[in-house]
Amino acid sequence: MAVLLGVDTGGTYTDAVLIRDETEVIASAKALTTRTDLAIGVGNAVTAVLAQSGIPAGEIAMASLSTTLATNALVEGQGGRVALIYVGFRASDLEAHGLIEALRGDPSLLLTGGHDHAGAEVAPLDEAALIPFLETLKEDVSGFAVASQFATRNPAHELRAAELVAQITGRPVSASHNLSAKLNGPKRALTALLNARLIGMIDRLIGRAEDQLRALGIDAPMMVVRGDGALMSSAQARERPIETILSGPAASLVGARWLTRAETALVSDIGGTTTDVALLRDGRPAIDPAGAQVGPYRTMVEAVAMRTHGLGGDSEVHFVSEGLTAGVTLGPKRLLPVSLIAVDAPEVVHNALDAQLRRSVAGEHDGRFLRAVPGQEGEGLAPRDLALLERIGGAVWPLGEILRNRVEQGALTRLVARGLVQVAGVTPSDASHVAGHLTAWDSDAARKALELFGRKRGGSGLRFCPDADALAQIIINRLTHQTSLTLLETAFAEEEPGFGLSPEVLARHVLMQRGLSGHRGVVRIDAGLNLPVVGLGASAATYYPAVGEVLGTEMILPEHAHVANAIGAVVGRVIMRESGTITAPREGVFRVHLAHGPQDFPDAERALSQLETVLTQAARARAQSAGAAEIECQVTRDIRTAGVEGREVFVEAELTVEASGRPRVAVG
């Protein structure tokens, strides 16, 4: 009887669960996510679940980790400083495909080189320009991304550029052809860029988590959940961290299916930073054919068709004023709840809140605090940013005592984006403490922060909401409303045929909103969801019953819903996919595009056979490397032909091999 350990590091909590023989939940536990070092939270959660279960650490046969780290980093604009090497493309491609925005001021180099659609070299790689670029930046960036035109048809220039990066800088390098076999060079470049940015963060997490487990006496292999819900080894995750985006949401879908046996339902998982919504159809989550999208980024990563919104228990509460009316809106960025930072620095927080409450005039930064994140690298910081970081030091500060002028606001924004500083402020978690739904942190600090927030004045000149209890309910109601919109957007996105408008417009359409409230006038309008919702996450039981009422649907809140991600981490399968293409550059020639370069064959069947053999070997090897046992392989062929003068002519073929199996576990 194997005992499996699943761990999920969310934005606020880290969950751990023990499952016996993939059929029974033995125990579960939570610990606060330690953003300064996520592995500490992992160790705390695992220690708690072992103590609760009474099972010796040595009996753990496998450990698996799902994490929102990569997803949250992209949503919040965090990650290391990296450089992009862009081969064979035009400067206009950087701007046209969103790469300028994704670079966020990080260095890039456009080089001559690249190949054509048939894999033939267009121009030699300009190594003379690449080498000084690498020499200049080798101490200033954490990694490099390389993308070459038509690298999926011939990766020679990406391979050579990556070789030079390794030789000259010793930094990690992400080559686009290793992350996707599909065409669309700019999109592959974006994927490689984001992968490079995440490598340091994921490497630190996995390394420290493995250290924590070993210190507890757990010497089992560690798996990591990918964005499609499948498992990969920790070593593979270190090389391809981009594949862990939507890891947490994907694990929640696998866990939701395991917990409820639901065939068709919307699954909504609320965390501290994001709410993730997906459709479970016929018991399986669909893969997004356009590639995973997180925040503004559309990548080429295979992941569940998930809509991720910057909405969670720790979302920033914004004051909005239009005309004479005022209100609040939530997200998309996360703040530390005031009730939480008050636990870490009670004297600083309460003294500041009390002083602010005594003032008759509300200050711009009332109720806000900040602290530096220890152990993070500050390489490549501008002098002003570095000076601000040093001034913050290791203490918790009221925000108004640190920011001396407007210019420093920009420096603070950059430090937060780099993950070097955390800001605390009013969140729905604070509202829930005031309302009595939560008691884990400092409710008094939450109440004081809400009282300060309620002093803000709208266009009428009146204070927005001086009563902290009333403001808490306003914030919770806003969370209900925005959650309902995210569910409706996902539902409309899955409607076939569509309604001719975007899901965002349809969810907010006056007819939809009137229908949800059961409009009765000359016209009768009723609207709602036509399938159940599975609510997951630690705060689902607090917030989601009201969401079900608004949408007029069944809200399923399963037992262990609060640790569904951790459950999904251990009940999944290892799945590795390898894809390849065959083209016909001229009649009688069938070109197989392989990792080491193109290879020509005189007939289609020999080319297909060779590609299938190579892909099967690669997929099986990756599955074995991930620790899969009893591997099964499935081959999908997509052969495209055209009718020319009464005969079928081969145009192109794409083959995909999927190797899958359950992780191998050592049964005591």
Side-chain angles (χ1 to χ4, degrees):
M1 300 284 283
V3 178
L4 311 178
L5 168 67
V7 180
D8 173 68
T9 63
T12 304
Y13 287 105
T14 293
D15 304 330
V17 64
L18 292 177
I19 293 181
R20 179 179 286 114
D21 209 30
E22 303 177 34
T23 60
E24 174 192 3
V25 176
I26 303 170
S28 65
K30 287 181 174 291
L32 279 173
T33 293
T34 46
R35 301 272 288 200
T36 55
D37 183 353
L38 293 175
I40 295 174
V42 170
N44 292 340
V46 174
T47 299
V49 80
L50 288 173
Q52 187 183 126
S53 68
I55 290 176
E59 291 188 17
I60 305 297
M62 185 191 79
S64 189
L65 175 71
S66 75
T67 176
T68 59
L69 176 63
T71 308
N72 294 347
L74 297 185
V75 169
E76 297 175 5
Q78 297 180 0
R81 186 171 188 258
V82 297
L84 172 65
I85 300 166
Y86 208 37
V87 182
F89 295 95
R90 297 166 300 181
S92 59
D93 290 329
L94 284 171
E95 186 170 346
H97 297 276
L99 283 165
I100 291 291
E101 292 82 357
L103 278 165
R104 300 200 320 262
D106 287 355
S108 63
L109 175 68
L110 277 83
L111 284 179
T112 303
H115 296 77
D116 63 20
H117 68 282
E121 185 179 79
V122 172
L125 179 66
D126 188 359
E127 295 185 18
L130 175 58
I131 291 172
F133 178 77
L134 298 177
E135 291 284 3
T136 301
L137 290 173
K138 62 183 179 182
E139 302 298 333
D140 294 333
V141 296
S142 61
F144 291 82
V146 180
S148 180
Q149 192 173 40
F150 285 108
T152 55
R153 297 294 170 84
N154 190 335
H157 287 180
E158 282 195 8
L159 292 171
R160 177 55 180 160
E163 181 183 12
L164 288 171
V165 169
Q167 288 176 358
I168 296 172
T169 74
R171 298 290 192 183
V173 57
S174 298
S176 77
H177 77 278
N178 286 330
L179 300 170
S180 177
K182 297 179 180 178
L183 296 177
N184 192 330
K187 198 170 171 183
R188 277 201 329 278
L190 174 65
T191 304
L193 174 68
L194 299 178
N195 189 72
R197 187 166 283 155
L198 293 170
I199 282 178
M201 301 176 74
I202 293 291
D203 182 67
R204 284 191 295 272
L205 170 61
I206 292 173
R208 291 281 295 120
E210 290 176 331
D211 290 343
Q212 289 280 339
L213 295 185
R214 280 192 293 269
L216 292 171
I218 299 173
D219 193 24
M222 176 180 277
M223 310 296 291
V224 178
V225 182
R226 285 201 321 242
D228 60 358
L231 304 179
M232 60 179 170
S233 70
S234 59
Q236 291 167 333
R238 279 181 156 110
E239 294 177 359
R240 302 181 178 210
I242 190 68
E243 293 186 2
T244 69
I245 61 172
L246 301 182
S247 161
S252 75
L253 280 175
V254 176
R257 166 66 175 161
W258 191 85
L259 287 168
T260 66
R261 306 302 178 201
E263 289 293 318
T264 302
L266 280 176
V267 179
S268 184
D269 184 6
I270 181 170
T273 306
T274 60
T275 291
D276 309 303
V277 186
L279 178 64
L280 196 63
R281 179 177 283 151
D282 298 326
R284 293 175 61 91
I287 301 299
D288 191 339
Q293 177 154 1
V294 181
Y297 305 120
R298 173 68 74 176
T299 71
M300 298 191 84
V301 176
E302 288 189 344
V304 293
M306 178 81 65
R307 296 179 79 90
T308 298
H309 298 260
L311 176 67
D314 298 343
S315 289
E316 180 177 5
V317 179
H318 299 272
F319 176 70
V320 292
S321 178
E322 297 180 4
L324 298 180
T325 62
V328 299
T329 187
L330 309 179
K333 292 188 177 180
R334 175 187 186 271
L335 297 179
L336 281 176
V338 174
S339 52
L340 175 55
I341 201 169
V343 173
D344 296 335
E347 188 173 347
V348 170
V349 172
H350 279 282
N351 287 345
L353 293 173
D354 291 340
Q356 291 163 5
L357 284 168
R358 285 194 296 268
R359 291 198 292 260
S360 58
V361 178
E364 180 183 1
H365 303 304
D366 283 359
R368 293 213 159 198
F369 302 85
L370 54 72
R371 68 182 181 194
V373 179
Q376 300 297 305
E377 298 178 5
E379 59 186 10
L381 288 179
R384 187 185 300 277
D385 298 5
L386 185 60
L388 182 59
L389 184 62
E390 290 175 346
R391 193 192 315 155
I392 295 169
V396 171
W397 293 88
L399 183 58
E401 292 185 18
I402 288 293
L403 292 184
R404 297 172 177 171
N405 51 58
R406 292 288 181 184
V407 175
E408 289 188 338
Q409 180 65 59
L412 175 62
T413 300
R414 290 188 293 273
L415 291 174
V416 171
R418 288 283 299 274
L420 300 173
V421 170
Q422 293 175 310
V423 175
V426 172
T427 69
S429 293
D430 294 308
S432 290
H433 276 80
V434 172
H437 301 315
L438 293 177
T439 58
W441 305 327
D442 191 330
S443 297
D444 288 340
R447 179 172 292 276
K448 292 174 183 178
L450 261 68
E451 287 178 8
L452 286 166
F453 191 97
R455 290 181 170 190
K456 296 178 184 292
R457 298 180 186 272
S460 65
L462 300 176
R463 289 184 174 182
F464 168 47
C465 186
D467 183 353
D469 293 288
L471 178 56
Q473 193 57 52
I474 289 172
I475 294 170
I476 292 170
N477 289 346
R478 183 65 194 183
L479 181 62
T480 298
H481 175 68
Q482 288 186 218
T483 301
S484 300
L485 291 177
T486 66
L487 287 163
L488 289 172
E489 286 179 22
T490 303
F492 279 119
E494 296 292 339
E495 281 285 355
E496 290 292 343
F499 292 90
L501 295 172
S502 72
E504 292 77 11
V505 171
L506 289 166
R508 293 162 177 77
H509 198 284
V510 62
L511 293 177
M512 187 71 209
Q513 292 300 313
R514 292 283 183 90
L516 289 174
S517 59
H519 175 79
R520 294 294 184 269
V522 177
V523 175
R524 182 180 71 247
I525 307 175
D526 292 297
L529 288 178
N530 195 34
L531 73 173
V533 175
V534 179
L536 303 177
S539 59
T542 299
Y543 301 124
Y544 277 16
V547 174
E549 291 179 10
V550 169
L551 297 176
T553 191
E554 178 188 7
M555 181 63 68
I556 303 171
L557 300 171
E559 185 182 7
H560 307 300
H562 58 295
V563 290
N565 291 31
I567 290 172
V570 291
V571 299
R573 294 172 63 84
V574 173
I575 301 175
M576 296 294 168
R577 300 181 187 89
E578 291 285 341
S579 298
T581 305
I582 300 172
T583 58
R586 57 185 181 276
E587 190 170 0
V589 175
F590 301 88
R591 181 163 294 169
V592 181
H593 298 276
L594 302 172
H596 58 268
Q599 185 176 349
D600 292 343
F601 291 85
D603 62 81
E605 207 43 57
R606 283 179 60 186
L608 288 164
S609 177
Q610 174 66 11
L611 182 56
E612 182 175 323
T613 298
V614 170
L615 295 178
T616 300
Q617 290 173 347
R620 183 177 290 275
R622 286 182 62 206
Q624 288 174 335
S625 177
E630 300 178 8
I631 298 170
E632 300 175 351
C633 292
Q634 292 184 329
V635 181
T636 303
R637 291 186 174 189
D638 180 12
I639 302 174
R640 294 181 283 280
T641 61
V644 178
E645 296 179 352
R647 62 192 181 96
E648 288 292 310
V649 176
F650 180 98
V651 176
E652 188 172 286
E654 182 174 334
L655 270 66
T656 299
V657 176
E658 181 178 284
S660 64
R662 273 292 296 161
R664 185 182 295 105
V665 296
V667 182

